[in-house]
């Protein structure tokens, strides 16, 4: 029997998904159903672009609901209680400096469902996160990235 995939996430990330699910079920789904009913009243469905658009949106909404329900069912809340305070682990914010002389950059390592690189949240599945996980403040780490390797120094972990 195949093992179910777990979705590591912070408590904040889980709450955000629960809020999105609530919004999809209580607001977006009823809105789409209403749009479908209105579009049906226009008659011939074969040439009804409003109907097609509403059906496409319904498929998206239902797919996203299913996806979120699955992620929440198999959610694994990140717990760093047993991890040293200066060790890079999921849920923590790490500040690094690319060597020899780049500017410091900070990232929070989160599960892939919470990943948002433009806001400093990188997936635990990313090459950067994989290279940093388990290392401690002060260490210099070589990280395998798609176009080679990069050397960084871990400045802080929060």
């Amino acid at each position: 029997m195949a093992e179910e995939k777990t979705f590591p996430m912070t408590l904040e990330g889980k709450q955000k998904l629960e809020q999105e699910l609530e919004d999809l079920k209580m607001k977006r789904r009823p809105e789409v159903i209403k749009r479908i009913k209105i579009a049906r009243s226009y008659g011939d469905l074969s040439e009804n672009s409003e109907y097609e658009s509403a059906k496409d949106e319904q498929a998206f909404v239902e797919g996203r609901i299913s996806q979120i329900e699955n992620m929440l069912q198999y959610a694994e809340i990140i717990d760093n209680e047993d991890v040293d305070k200066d060790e890079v682990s999921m849920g923590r914010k790490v500040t690094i400096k690319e060597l020899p002389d780049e500017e410091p950059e900070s990232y929070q390592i989160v599960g892939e469902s919470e990943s948002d690189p433009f806001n400093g949240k990188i997936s635990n599945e990313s090459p950067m996160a994989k290279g940093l996980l388990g290392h401690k403040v002060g260490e210099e780490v070589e990280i395998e990235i798609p176009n080679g390797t990069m050397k960084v120094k871990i400045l802080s972990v929060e």
Side-chain angles (χ1 to χ4, degrees), residues 19-104:
Q19 185 177 0
E20 182 182 352
L21 182 62
E22 178 79 11
D23 183 61
L24 287 169
K25 284 183 169 182
M26 303 310 277
K27 292 179 184 167
R28 295 260 323 260
R29 182 187 267 166
E31 288 170 3
V32 171
I33 291 170
K34 185 176 179 181
R35 282 184 48 213
I36 290 171
K37 285 181 182 178
I38 292 169
R40 275 191 184 147
S41 71
Y42 297 153
D44 185 11
L45 299 180
S46 65
E47 295 180 18
N48 188 330
S49 63
E50 289 89 357
Y51 179 76
E52 289 300 319
S53 174
K55 290 298 281 183
D56 289 345
E57 187 176 350
Q58 181 183 40
F60 171 79
V61 168
E62 295 303 325
R64 184 66 180 149
I65 288 171
S66 178
Q67 180 184 34
I68 292 172
E69 286 176 338
N70 185 55
M71 287 191 296
L72 290 173
Q73 181 178 356
Y74 297 105
E76 183 180 303
I77 302 302
I78 299 165
D79 178 16
N80 288 321
E81 288 297 314
D82 299 331
V83 181
D84 289 342
K85 298 290 183 206
D86 65 344
E87 183 177 324
V88 179
S89 62
M90 283 192 53
R92 293 201 172 146
K93 184 176 183 178
V94 59
T95 301
I96 60 169
K97 175 181 166 180
E98 187 175 349
L99 299 174
D101 56 2
E102 294 291 321
E103 292 295 313

Side-chain angles (χ1 to χ4, degrees), residues 139-156:
E139 287 187 36
E140 292 183 4
V141 181
E142 283 199 18
I143 299 173
E144 294 292 326
I145 55 176
N147 59 346
T149 61
M150 68 186 288
K151 191 170 187 177
V152 300
K153 182 171 185 171
I154 301 172
L155 301 176
S156 68

